């Protein structure tokens, strides 16, 4: 069988095909600026779904704050271990950022049980109570977004932004619509579609463009 | 804000909405049998994409062999850590199965470099050389499927089946079409769509239905 065996060649070819399809089908990137385009491309690359050209809304404010924070310590909190797994770790050798997923921690389970809320909500509460600048990456749990939206301005003071991409049929579209309208800087995928893979892909697009690919 | 905070209630409601949409839009499950239906439901639940009703092809032979193997030691090899993360671990307390992802192992990187192939291909080679029954769960790498298709009948002797769901624009559709036609028992998502999340969701559907949900 004859097929491409080089990962970078596969990726380059994929992006060319995505661009060709967008041109052939009369679609277009909402923003042509390279960083934005990279985010759209990588969301499509990881899902094979061109709906993200319409669905994905990128606040200029999110991009600005994310970029400004790269030289300072920041923790990225993901709502799932899957999103955490999907984020390429190479960039974290070059910037003082760290990655954390609290969903499986004992304290999270205890707090969720005590309050009668989801573990995703408890994880957001714990993250907000932890000192330091933070970015939330939410690929699965609308309740995590609802928790953020219910938090006070003071509690959200250290939140640089939220990548809100939960997928699903209960609360996902509603939570993302509200997040999109909220003053918190965000990247959201409106509607039902999304997922941990797309959330991770967006983080990777940002880090590859702003920090570099690393080895 | 008023929203459902109980994970099982969210899931039950999600499945009801999926069924309602399928009915309202004049769609249908290709197979109504509960195990098959659960696989379709969970693929849609994790992607919010009803294309899987058409794309997802489930070999009866895969289901039979998977179920028959539940009492014996089997290793599930995933092609990504993301797919591994997405698989619910509760079932593995009840059956003598284990989960493994070789993609980040040193030996895999060494073998890939030496042969000039992808790490996904090297990981499949190592898995095939490891004694014991196995199931492959491939959510990302068409090259992993090509590697399986290039293997001899003898090398594939211990392969119970392949869940082949890579997503993408280079090789994904081709690899899945070939796998679907191959004599190896498989579940595939034809076309470009798929991903580690959908691959993991299919494993979860199988294990929840056949082994139980656990705690």
């Amino acid at each position: 069988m004859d097929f491409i065996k080089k990962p970078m060649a596969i990726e380059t070819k994929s992006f060319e095909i995505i661009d060709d399809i967008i041109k052939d089908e009369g679609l277009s990137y909402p923003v042509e600026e390279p960083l934005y385009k990279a985010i759209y491309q990588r969301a499509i690359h990881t899902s094979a779904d061109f709906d993200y050209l319409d669905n994905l809304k990128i606040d200029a404010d999110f991009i600005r704050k994310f970029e400004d924070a790269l030289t300072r310590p920041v923790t990225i909190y993901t709502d799932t271990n899957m999103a955490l797994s999907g984020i390429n770790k190479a960039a974290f050798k070059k910037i003082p950022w760290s990655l954390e997923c609290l969903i499986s921690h004992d304290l999270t389970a205890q707090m969720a049980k005590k309050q009668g809320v989801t573990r995703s909500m408890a994880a957001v509460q714990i993250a907000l109570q932890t000192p330091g600048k933070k970015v939330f990456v939410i690929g699965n749990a609308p309740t995590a977004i609802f928790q953020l939206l219910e938090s006070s301005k003071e509690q959200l003071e250290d939140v640089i932004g939220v990548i809100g991409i939960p997928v699903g049929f209960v609360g996902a579209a509603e939570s993302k619509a509200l997040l999109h309208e909220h003053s918190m800087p965000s990247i959201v995928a409106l509607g039902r579609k999304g997922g941990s893979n797309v959330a991770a892909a967006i983080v990777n697009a940002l880090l590859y463009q702003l920090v570099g690919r690393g080895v």
Side-chain angles (χ1 to χ4, degrees), chain A residues 52 55-57 138-139 141-142 145-146 149 163-169 171-182 186-195:
Chain A
Y52 288 104
N55 297 347
L56 202 60
K57 306 295 175 188
I138 300 168
I145 292 182
F146 288 128
L149 295 171
I163 297 177
I165 318 284
V167 57
F169 296 87
E174 296 84 342
S175 71
K176 291 182 287 185
L178 290 169
L179 176 59
H180 184 47
E181 288 160 19
H182 194 279
S186 66
I187 297 177
V188 304
L190 295 177
R192 289 185 196 128
K193 287 182 177 174

PDB file of all heavy atoms in Angstrom, chain A residues 52 55-57 138-139 141-142 145-146 149 163-169 171-182 186-195:
ATOM      1  N   TYR A  52     -17.559  24.323  12.023  1.00  0.00           N
ATOM      2  CA  TYR A  52     -16.833  25.208  12.942  1.00  0.00           C
ATOM      3  C   TYR A  52     -16.522  26.571  12.330  1.00  0.00           C
ATOM      4  O   TYR A  52     -16.278  27.528  13.056  1.00  0.00           O
ATOM      5  CB  TYR A  52     -15.577  24.521  13.484  1.00  0.00           C
ATOM      6  CG  TYR A  52     -15.942  23.436  14.472  1.00  0.00           C
ATOM      7  CD1 TYR A  52     -15.885  22.093  14.120  1.00  0.00           C
ATOM      8  CD2 TYR A  52     -16.419  23.765  15.739  1.00  0.00           C
ATOM      9  CE1 TYR A  52     -16.275  21.099  15.013  1.00  0.00           C
ATOM     10  CE2 TYR A  52     -16.817  22.774  16.630  1.00  0.00           C
ATOM     11  CZ  TYR A  52     -16.741  21.451  16.260  1.00  0.00           C
ATOM     12  OH  TYR A  52     -17.137  20.482  17.142  1.00  0.00           O
ATOM     13  N   ASN A  55     -19.665  28.123  13.597  1.00  0.00           N
ATOM     14  CA  ASN A  55     -19.959  27.980  15.028  1.00  0.00           C
ATOM     15  C   ASN A  55     -18.950  28.654  15.938  1.00  0.00           C
ATOM     16  O   ASN A  55     -19.272  29.075  17.038  1.00  0.00           O
ATOM     17  CB  ASN A  55     -19.934  26.491  15.436  1.00  0.00           C
ATOM     18  CG  ASN A  55     -20.994  25.692  14.737  1.00  0.00           C
ATOM     19  OD1 ASN A  55     -21.897  26.270  14.148  1.00  0.00           O
ATOM     20  ND2 ASN A  55     -20.891  24.371  14.791  1.00  0.00           N
ATOM     21  N   LEU A  56     -17.702  28.651  15.490  1.00  0.00           N
ATOM     22  CA  LEU A  56     -16.615  29.007  16.388  1.00  0.00           C
ATOM     23  C   LEU A  56     -16.454  30.526  16.446  1.00  0.00           C
ATOM     24  O   LEU A  56     -16.230  31.165  15.416  1.00  0.00           O
ATOM     25  CB  LEU A  56     -15.319  28.352  15.895  1.00  0.00           C
ATOM     26  CG  LEU A  56     -14.211  28.147  16.903  1.00  0.00           C
ATOM     27  CD1 LEU A  56     -14.660  27.250  18.043  1.00  0.00           C
ATOM     28  CD2 LEU A  56     -13.007  27.507  16.209  1.00  0.00           C
ATOM     29  N   LYS A  57     -16.581  31.068  17.646  1.00  0.00           N
ATOM     30  CA  LYS A  57     -16.507  32.519  17.849  1.00  0.00           C
ATOM     31  C   LYS A  57     -15.299  32.838  18.721  1.00  0.00           C
ATOM     32  O   LYS A  57     -15.204  32.357  19.862  1.00  0.00           O
ATOM     33  CB  LYS A  57     -17.787  33.014  18.535  1.00  0.00           C
ATOM     34  CG  LYS A  57     -19.077  32.621  17.805  1.00  0.00           C
ATOM     35  CD  LYS A  57     -19.189  33.263  16.429  1.00  0.00           C
ATOM     36  CE  LYS A  57     -20.428  32.760  15.692  1.00  0.00           C
ATOM     37  NZ  LYS A  57     -20.454  33.216  14.284  1.00  0.00           N
ATOM     38  N   ILE A 138     -12.882  23.923  28.476  1.00  0.00           N
ATOM     39  CA  ILE A 138     -14.033  23.086  28.804  1.00  0.00           C
ATOM     40  C   ILE A 138     -14.559  22.431  27.530  1.00  0.00           C
ATOM     41  O   ILE A 138     -15.094  23.103  26.655  1.00  0.00           O
ATOM     42  CB  ILE A 138     -15.112  23.930  29.505  1.00  0.00           C
ATOM     43  CG1 ILE A 138     -14.512  24.515  30.791  1.00  0.00           C
ATOM     44  CG2 ILE A 138     -16.356  23.105  29.788  1.00  0.00           C
ATOM     45  CD1 ILE A 138     -15.336  25.576  31.445  1.00  0.00           C
ATOM     46  N   GLY A 139     -14.375  21.120  27.449  1.00  0.00           N
ATOM     47  CA  GLY A 139     -14.754  20.402  26.231  1.00  0.00           C
ATOM     48  C   GLY A 139     -15.940  19.491  26.424  1.00  0.00           C
ATOM     49  O   GLY A 139     -16.468  18.937  25.459  1.00  0.00           O
ATOM     50  N   ALA A 141     -18.321  19.639  29.778  1.00  0.00           N
ATOM     51  CA  ALA A 141     -19.340  19.875  30.803  1.00  0.00           C
ATOM     52  C   ALA A 141     -19.959  21.272  30.749  1.00  0.00           C
ATOM     53  O   ALA A 141     -19.342  22.251  31.176  1.00  0.00           O
ATOM     54  CB  ALA A 141     -18.722  19.665  32.177  1.00  0.00           C
ATOM     55  N   PRO A 142     -21.194  21.369  30.240  1.00  0.00           N
ATOM     56  CA  PRO A 142     -21.904  22.652  30.316  1.00  0.00           C
ATOM     57  C   PRO A 142     -21.983  23.157  31.751  1.00  0.00           C
ATOM     58  O   PRO A 142     -21.910  24.368  31.987  1.00  0.00           O
ATOM     59  CB  PRO A 142     -23.310  22.311  29.806  1.00  0.00           C
ATOM     60  CG  PRO A 142     -23.137  21.094  28.968  1.00  0.00           C
ATOM     61  CD  PRO A 142     -22.000  20.326  29.574  1.00  0.00           C
ATOM     62  N   ILE A 145     -19.338  25.504  32.715  1.00  0.00           N
ATOM     63  CA  ILE A 145     -19.553  26.874  32.217  1.00  0.00           C
ATOM     64  C   ILE A 145     -20.605  27.582  33.062  1.00  0.00           C
ATOM     65  O   ILE A 145     -20.422  28.748  33.442  1.00  0.00           O
ATOM     66  CB  ILE A 145     -19.951  26.852  30.725  1.00  0.00           C
ATOM     67  CG1 ILE A 145     -18.758  26.377  29.891  1.00  0.00           C
ATOM     68  CG2 ILE A 145     -20.411  28.251  30.268  1.00  0.00           C
ATOM     69  CD1 ILE A 145     -18.989  26.362  28.403  1.00  0.00           C
ATOM     70  N   PHE A 146     -21.700  26.885  33.388  1.00  0.00           N
ATOM     71  CA  PHE A 146     -22.721  27.500  34.252  1.00  0.00           C
ATOM     72  C   PHE A 146     -22.106  27.938  35.583  1.00  0.00           C
ATOM     73  O   PHE A 146     -22.421  28.997  36.114  1.00  0.00           O
ATOM     74  CB  PHE A 146     -23.890  26.536  34.492  1.00  0.00           C
ATOM     75  CG  PHE A 146     -24.779  26.337  33.292  1.00  0.00           C
ATOM     76  CD1 PHE A 146     -25.087  25.067  32.823  1.00  0.00           C
ATOM     77  CD2 PHE A 146     -25.327  27.426  32.619  1.00  0.00           C
ATOM     78  CE1 PHE A 146     -25.914  24.879  31.716  1.00  0.00           C
ATOM     79  CE2 PHE A 146     -26.158  27.259  31.507  1.00  0.00           C
ATOM     80  CZ  PHE A 146     -26.449  25.978  31.058  1.00  0.00           C
ATOM     81  N   LEU A 149     -20.319  31.115  35.037  1.00  0.00           N
ATOM     82  CA  LEU A 149     -21.254  32.228  34.809  1.00  0.00           C
ATOM     83  C   LEU A 149     -21.927  32.675  36.102  1.00  0.00           C
ATOM     84  O   LEU A 149     -22.338  33.822  36.225  1.00  0.00           O
ATOM     85  CB  LEU A 149     -22.322  31.811  33.778  1.00  0.00           C
ATOM     86  CG  LEU A 149     -21.799  31.522  32.367  1.00  0.00           C
ATOM     87  CD1 LEU A 149     -22.901  30.922  31.498  1.00  0.00           C
ATOM     88  CD2 LEU A 149     -21.242  32.779  31.710  1.00  0.00           C
ATOM     89  N   ILE A 163     -12.058  28.763  27.130  1.00  0.00           N
ATOM     90  CA  ILE A 163     -12.336  28.075  25.869  1.00  0.00           C
ATOM     91  C   ILE A 163     -13.501  27.143  26.172  1.00  0.00           C
ATOM     92  O   ILE A 163     -13.349  26.141  26.887  1.00  0.00           O
ATOM     93  CB  ILE A 163     -11.081  27.322  25.367  1.00  0.00           C
ATOM     94  CG1 ILE A 163      -9.963  28.338  25.079  1.00  0.00           C
ATOM     95  CG2 ILE A 163     -11.404  26.505  24.123  1.00  0.00           C
ATOM     96  CD1 ILE A 163      -8.646  27.723  24.645  1.00  0.00           C
ATOM     97  N   GLY A 164     -14.679  27.499  25.693  1.00  0.00           N
ATOM     98  CA  GLY A 164     -15.913  26.784  26.067  1.00  0.00           C
ATOM     99  C   GLY A 164     -16.469  26.017  24.883  1.00  0.00           C
ATOM    100  O   GLY A 164     -17.085  26.599  23.998  1.00  0.00           O
ATOM    101  N   ILE A 165     -16.217  24.693  24.875  1.00  0.00           N
ATOM    102  CA  ILE A 165     -16.550  23.893  23.694  1.00  0.00           C
ATOM    103  C   ILE A 165     -17.313  22.628  24.083  1.00  0.00           C
ATOM    104  O   ILE A 165     -17.171  21.594  23.421  1.00  0.00           O
ATOM    105  CB  ILE A 165     -15.245  23.514  22.918  1.00  0.00           C
ATOM    106  CG1 ILE A 165     -14.275  24.692  22.835  1.00  0.00           C
ATOM    107  CG2 ILE A 165     -15.578  22.999  21.521  1.00  0.00           C
ATOM    108  CD1 ILE A 165     -14.645  25.759  21.825  1.00  0.00           C
ATOM    109  N   PRO A 166     -18.102  22.624  25.172  1.00  0.00           N
ATOM    110  CA  PRO A 166     -18.819  21.379  25.481  1.00  0.00           C
ATOM    111  C   PRO A 166     -19.738  20.952  24.344  1.00  0.00           C
ATOM    112  O   PRO A 166     -20.312  21.791  23.643  1.00  0.00           O
ATOM    113  CB  PRO A 166     -19.615  21.706  26.739  1.00  0.00           C
ATOM    114  CG  PRO A 166     -19.600  23.170  26.878  1.00  0.00           C
ATOM    115  CD  PRO A 166     -18.383  23.654  26.175  1.00  0.00           C
ATOM    116  N   VAL A 167     -19.856  19.653  24.194  1.00  0.00           N
ATOM    117  CA  VAL A 167     -20.702  19.051  23.165  1.00  0.00           C
ATOM    118  C   VAL A 167     -21.940  18.489  23.839  1.00  0.00           C
ATOM    119  O   VAL A 167     -21.874  18.081  24.998  1.00  0.00           O
ATOM    120  CB  VAL A 167     -19.916  17.916  22.452  1.00  0.00           C
ATOM    121  CG1 VAL A 167     -19.435  16.861  23.424  1.00  0.00           C
ATOM    122  CG2 VAL A 167     -20.731  17.252  21.349  1.00  0.00           C
ATOM    123  N   GLY A 168     -23.052  18.482  23.149  1.00  0.00           N
ATOM    124  CA  GLY A 168     -24.163  17.723  23.693  1.00  0.00           C
ATOM    125  C   GLY A 168     -25.520  18.335  23.553  1.00  0.00           C
ATOM    126  O   GLY A 168     -25.709  19.352  22.887  1.00  0.00           O
ATOM    127  N   PHE A 169     -26.471  17.702  24.232  1.00  0.00           N
ATOM    128  CA  PHE A 169     -27.884  17.955  24.009  1.00  0.00           C
ATOM    129  C   PHE A 169     -28.558  18.601  25.203  1.00  0.00           C
ATOM    130  O   PHE A 169     -29.672  19.076  25.096  1.00  0.00           O
ATOM    131  CB  PHE A 169     -28.558  16.634  23.649  1.00  0.00           C
ATOM    132  CG  PHE A 169     -28.053  16.066  22.359  1.00  0.00           C
ATOM    133  CD1 PHE A 169     -26.937  15.244  22.317  1.00  0.00           C
ATOM    134  CD2 PHE A 169     -28.651  16.414  21.170  1.00  0.00           C
ATOM    135  CE1 PHE A 169     -26.450  14.750  21.115  1.00  0.00           C
ATOM    136  CE2 PHE A 169     -28.176  15.936  19.960  1.00  0.00           C
ATOM    137  CZ  PHE A 169     -27.073  15.095  19.936  1.00  0.00           C
ATOM    138  N   GLY A 171     -27.932  21.514  27.801  1.00  0.00           N
ATOM    139  CA  GLY A 171     -27.187  22.628  28.379  1.00  0.00           C
ATOM    140  C   GLY A 171     -25.993  23.097  27.573  1.00  0.00           C
ATOM    141  O   GLY A 171     -25.503  24.210  27.802  1.00  0.00           O
ATOM    142  N   ALA A 172     -25.518  22.294  26.648  1.00  0.00           N
ATOM    143  CA  ALA A 172     -24.287  22.665  25.927  1.00  0.00           C
ATOM    144  C   ALA A 172     -24.504  23.958  25.138  1.00  0.00           C
ATOM    145  O   ALA A 172     -23.775  24.943  25.333  1.00  0.00           O
ATOM    146  CB  ALA A 172     -23.829  21.532  25.013  1.00  0.00           C
ATOM    147  N   ALA A 173     -25.499  23.965  24.267  1.00  0.00           N
ATOM    148  CA  ALA A 173     -25.744  25.155  23.432  1.00  0.00           C
ATOM    149  C   ALA A 173     -26.076  26.368  24.302  1.00  0.00           C
ATOM    150  O   ALA A 173     -25.562  27.472  24.061  1.00  0.00           O
ATOM    151  CB  ALA A 173     -26.880  24.874  22.443  1.00  0.00           C
ATOM    152  N   GLU A 174     -26.912  26.164  25.329  1.00  0.00           N
ATOM    153  CA  GLU A 174     -27.323  27.267  26.212  1.00  0.00           C
ATOM    154  C   GLU A 174     -26.112  27.860  26.938  1.00  0.00           C
ATOM    155  O   GLU A 174     -25.938  29.084  27.015  1.00  0.00           O
ATOM    156  CB  GLU A 174     -28.346  26.776  27.248  1.00  0.00           C
ATOM    157  CG  GLU A 174     -29.666  26.285  26.669  1.00  0.00           C
ATOM    158  CD  GLU A 174     -29.632  24.827  26.208  1.00  0.00           C
ATOM    159  OE1 GLU A 174     -28.517  24.261  26.007  1.00  0.00           O
ATOM    160  OE2 GLU A 174     -30.719  24.247  26.045  1.00  0.00           O
ATOM    161  N   SER A 175     -25.283  26.982  27.488  1.00  0.00           N
ATOM    162  CA  SER A 175     -24.131  27.452  28.269  1.00  0.00           C
ATOM    163  C   SER A 175     -23.183  28.251  27.381  1.00  0.00           C
ATOM    164  O   SER A 175     -22.636  29.278  27.789  1.00  0.00           O
ATOM    165  CB  SER A 175     -23.394  26.274  28.920  1.00  0.00           C
ATOM    166  OG  SER A 175     -22.701  25.502  27.956  1.00  0.00           O
ATOM    167  N   LYS A 176     -23.011  27.800  26.150  1.00  0.00           N
ATOM    168  CA  LYS A 176     -22.058  28.466  25.257  1.00  0.00           C
ATOM    169  C   LYS A 176     -22.616  29.804  24.756  1.00  0.00           C
ATOM    170  O   LYS A 176     -21.873  30.772  24.605  1.00  0.00           O
ATOM    171  CB  LYS A 176     -21.674  27.531  24.107  1.00  0.00           C
ATOM    172  CG  LYS A 176     -20.823  26.355  24.595  1.00  0.00           C
ATOM    173  CD  LYS A 176     -20.386  25.437  23.467  1.00  0.00           C
ATOM    174  CE  LYS A 176     -21.534  24.606  22.939  1.00  0.00           C
ATOM    175  NZ  LYS A 176     -21.089  23.619  21.918  1.00  0.00           N
ATOM    176  N   ALA A 177     -23.924  29.852  24.515  1.00  0.00           N
ATOM    177  CA  ALA A 177     -24.541  31.121  24.102  1.00  0.00           C
ATOM    178  C   ALA A 177     -24.366  32.171  25.206  1.00  0.00           C
ATOM    179  O   ALA A 177     -24.030  33.326  24.933  1.00  0.00           O
ATOM    180  CB  ALA A 177     -26.015  30.908  23.777  1.00  0.00           C
ATOM    181  N   LEU A 178     -24.582  31.757  26.455  1.00  0.00           N
ATOM    182  CA  LEU A 178     -24.436  32.687  27.579  1.00  0.00           C
ATOM    183  C   LEU A 178     -22.979  33.114  27.767  1.00  0.00           C
ATOM    184  O   LEU A 178     -22.690  34.281  28.036  1.00  0.00           O
ATOM    185  CB  LEU A 178     -24.971  32.047  28.873  1.00  0.00           C
ATOM    186  CG  LEU A 178     -26.491  31.868  28.934  1.00  0.00           C
ATOM    187  CD1 LEU A 178     -26.878  30.999  30.130  1.00  0.00           C
ATOM    188  CD2 LEU A 178     -27.195  33.223  29.032  1.00  0.00           C
ATOM    189  N   LEU A 179     -22.072  32.165  27.622  1.00  0.00           N
ATOM    190  CA  LEU A 179     -20.648  32.497  27.757  1.00  0.00           C
ATOM    191  C   LEU A 179     -20.226  33.488  26.670  1.00  0.00           C
ATOM    192  O   LEU A 179     -19.469  34.431  26.932  1.00  0.00           O
ATOM    193  CB  LEU A 179     -19.808  31.212  27.658  1.00  0.00           C
ATOM    194  CG  LEU A 179     -18.286  31.386  27.693  1.00  0.00           C
ATOM    195  CD1 LEU A 179     -17.829  32.073  28.975  1.00  0.00           C
ATOM    196  CD2 LEU A 179     -17.582  30.036  27.534  1.00  0.00           C
ATOM    197  N   HIS A 180     -20.740  33.277  25.481  1.00  0.00           N
ATOM    198  CA  HIS A 180     -20.404  34.152  24.349  1.00  0.00           C
ATOM    199  C   HIS A 180     -20.855  35.594  24.621  1.00  0.00           C
ATOM    200  O   HIS A 180     -20.179  36.547  24.207  1.00  0.00           O
ATOM    201  CB  HIS A 180     -21.073  33.607  23.088  1.00  0.00           C
ATOM    202  CG  HIS A 180     -20.726  34.350  21.836  1.00  0.00           C
ATOM    203  ND1 HIS A 180     -19.436  34.684  21.498  1.00  0.00           N
ATOM    204  CD2 HIS A 180     -21.500  34.832  20.826  1.00  0.00           C
ATOM    205  CE1 HIS A 180     -19.438  35.337  20.351  1.00  0.00           C
ATOM    206  NE2 HIS A 180     -20.673  35.450  19.923  1.00  0.00           N
ATOM    207  N   GLU A 181     -21.968  35.742  25.322  1.00  0.00           N
ATOM    208  CA  GLU A 181     -22.504  37.085  25.621  1.00  0.00           C
ATOM    209  C   GLU A 181     -21.866  37.708  26.869  1.00  0.00           C
ATOM    210  O   GLU A 181     -21.992  38.908  27.103  1.00  0.00           O
ATOM    211  CB  GLU A 181     -24.025  37.004  25.849  1.00  0.00           C
ATOM    212  CG  GLU A 181     -24.805  36.759  24.563  1.00  0.00           C
ATOM    213  CD  GLU A 181     -26.197  36.205  24.858  1.00  0.00           C
ATOM    214  OE1 GLU A 181     -26.673  36.353  26.008  1.00  0.00           O
ATOM    215  OE2 GLU A 181     -26.782  35.602  23.948  1.00  0.00           O
ATOM    216  N   HIS A 182     -21.210  36.868  27.670  1.00  0.00           N
ATOM    217  CA  HIS A 182     -20.630  37.317  28.944  1.00  0.00           C
ATOM    218  C   HIS A 182     -19.373  38.149  28.670  1.00  0.00           C
ATOM    219  O   HIS A 182     -18.735  38.006  27.629  1.00  0.00           O
ATOM    220  CB  HIS A 182     -20.308  36.080  29.789  1.00  0.00           C
ATOM    221  CG  HIS A 182     -20.014  36.371  31.224  1.00  0.00           C
ATOM    222  ND1 HIS A 182     -18.793  36.810  31.649  1.00  0.00           N
ATOM    223  CD2 HIS A 182     -20.771  36.267  32.341  1.00  0.00           C
ATOM    224  CE1 HIS A 182     -18.810  36.970  32.970  1.00  0.00           C
ATOM    225  NE2 HIS A 182     -20.014  36.648  33.407  1.00  0.00           N
ATOM    226  N   SER A 186     -13.536  34.875  25.708  1.00  0.00           N
ATOM    227  CA  SER A 186     -13.809  33.456  25.431  1.00  0.00           C
ATOM    228  C   SER A 186     -13.601  33.093  23.967  1.00  0.00           C
ATOM    229  O   SER A 186     -13.603  33.939  23.079  1.00  0.00           O
ATOM    230  CB  SER A 186     -15.253  33.113  25.808  1.00  0.00           C
ATOM    231  OG  SER A 186     -16.157  33.805  24.966  1.00  0.00           O
ATOM    232  N   ILE A 187     -13.420  31.792  23.782  1.00  0.00           N
ATOM    233  CA  ILE A 187     -13.597  31.170  22.471  1.00  0.00           C
ATOM    234  C   ILE A 187     -14.700  30.147  22.677  1.00  0.00           C
ATOM    235  O   ILE A 187     -14.588  29.288  23.568  1.00  0.00           O
ATOM    236  CB  ILE A 187     -12.308  30.481  21.973  1.00  0.00           C
ATOM    237  CG1 ILE A 187     -11.186  31.519  21.786  1.00  0.00           C
ATOM    238  CG2 ILE A 187     -12.567  29.727  20.682  1.00  0.00           C
ATOM    239  CD1 ILE A 187      -9.847  30.915  21.352  1.00  0.00           C
ATOM    240  N   VAL A 188     -15.773  30.216  21.918  1.00  0.00           N
ATOM    241  CA  VAL A 188     -16.868  29.247  22.091  1.00  0.00           C
ATOM    242  C   VAL A 188     -17.248  28.668  20.734  1.00  0.00           C
ATOM    243  O   VAL A 188     -17.053  29.297  19.698  1.00  0.00           O
ATOM    244  CB  VAL A 188     -18.129  29.872  22.739  1.00  0.00           C
ATOM    245  CG1 VAL A 188     -17.815  30.529  24.061  1.00  0.00           C
ATOM    246  CG2 VAL A 188     -18.797  30.869  21.805  1.00  0.00           C
ATOM    247  N   ALA A 189     -17.798  27.446  20.786  1.00  0.00           N
ATOM    248  CA  ALA A 189     -18.413  26.842  19.604  1.00  0.00           C
ATOM    249  C   ALA A 189     -19.917  26.859  19.856  1.00  0.00           C
ATOM    250  O   ALA A 189     -20.412  26.065  20.667  1.00  0.00           O
ATOM    251  CB  ALA A 189     -17.910  25.422  19.406  1.00  0.00           C
ATOM    252  N   LEU A 190     -20.613  27.776  19.213  1.00  0.00           N
ATOM    253  CA  LEU A 190     -22.066  27.867  19.423  1.00  0.00           C
ATOM    254  C   LEU A 190     -22.764  26.601  18.916  1.00  0.00           C
ATOM    255  O   LEU A 190     -22.257  25.907  18.040  1.00  0.00           O
ATOM    256  CB  LEU A 190     -22.616  29.102  18.721  1.00  0.00           C
ATOM    257  CG  LEU A 190     -22.116  30.452  19.274  1.00  0.00           C
ATOM    258  CD1 LEU A 190     -22.665  31.607  18.440  1.00  0.00           C
ATOM    259  CD2 LEU A 190     -22.511  30.635  20.744  1.00  0.00           C
ATOM    260  N   GLY A 191     -23.916  26.314  19.491  1.00  0.00           N
ATOM    261  CA  GLY A 191     -24.670  25.129  19.082  1.00  0.00           C
ATOM    262  C   GLY A 191     -24.287  23.902  19.885  1.00  0.00           C
ATOM    263  O   GLY A 191     -23.622  24.005  20.917  1.00  0.00           O
ATOM    264  N   ARG A 192     -24.690  22.741  19.387  1.00  0.00           N
ATOM    265  CA  ARG A 192     -24.477  21.492  20.146  1.00  0.00           C
ATOM    266  C   ARG A 192     -23.064  20.936  20.019  1.00  0.00           C
ATOM    267  O   ARG A 192     -22.607  20.180  20.858  1.00  0.00           O
ATOM    268  CB  ARG A 192     -25.408  20.407  19.598  1.00  0.00           C
ATOM    269  CG  ARG A 192     -26.852  20.587  19.905  1.00  0.00           C
ATOM    270  CD  ARG A 192     -27.599  19.344  19.387  1.00  0.00           C
ATOM    271  NE  ARG A 192     -29.013  19.599  19.311  1.00  0.00           N
ATOM    272  CZ  ARG A 192     -29.762  19.396  18.233  1.00  0.00           C
ATOM    273  NH1 ARG A 192     -29.217  18.902  17.131  1.00  0.00           N
ATOM    274  NH2 ARG A 192     -31.049  19.649  18.265  1.00  0.00           N
ATOM    275  N   LYS A 193     -22.412  21.245  18.885  1.00  0.00           N
ATOM    276  CA  LYS A 193     -21.154  20.555  18.606  1.00  0.00           C
ATOM    277  C   LYS A 193     -19.983  21.078  19.427  1.00  0.00           C
ATOM    278  O   LYS A 193     -19.973  22.227  19.868  1.00  0.00           O
ATOM    279  CB  LYS A 193     -20.842  20.642  17.120  1.00  0.00           C
ATOM    280  CG  LYS A 193     -21.747  19.737  16.295  1.00  0.00           C
ATOM    281  CD  LYS A 193     -21.393  19.789  14.829  1.00  0.00           C
ATOM    282  CE  LYS A 193     -22.257  18.822  14.032  1.00  0.00           C
ATOM    283  NZ  LYS A 193     -22.015  18.983  12.579  1.00  0.00           N
ATOM    284  N   GLY A 194     -19.000  20.238  19.572  1.00  0.00           N
ATOM    285  CA  GLY A 194     -17.803  20.577  20.330  1.00  0.00           C
ATOM    286  C   GLY A 194     -17.156  19.290  20.803  1.00  0.00           C
ATOM    287  O   GLY A 194     -17.277  18.259  20.154  1.00  0.00           O
ATOM    288  N   GLY A 195     -16.470  19.365  21.930  1.00  0.00           N
ATOM    289  CA  GLY A 195     -15.850  18.167  22.484  1.00  0.00           C
ATOM    290  C   GLY A 195     -14.437  18.442  22.963  1.00  0.00           C
ATOM    291  O   GLY A 195     -13.815  19.446  22.598  1.00  0.00           O
TER     292      GLY A 195
END
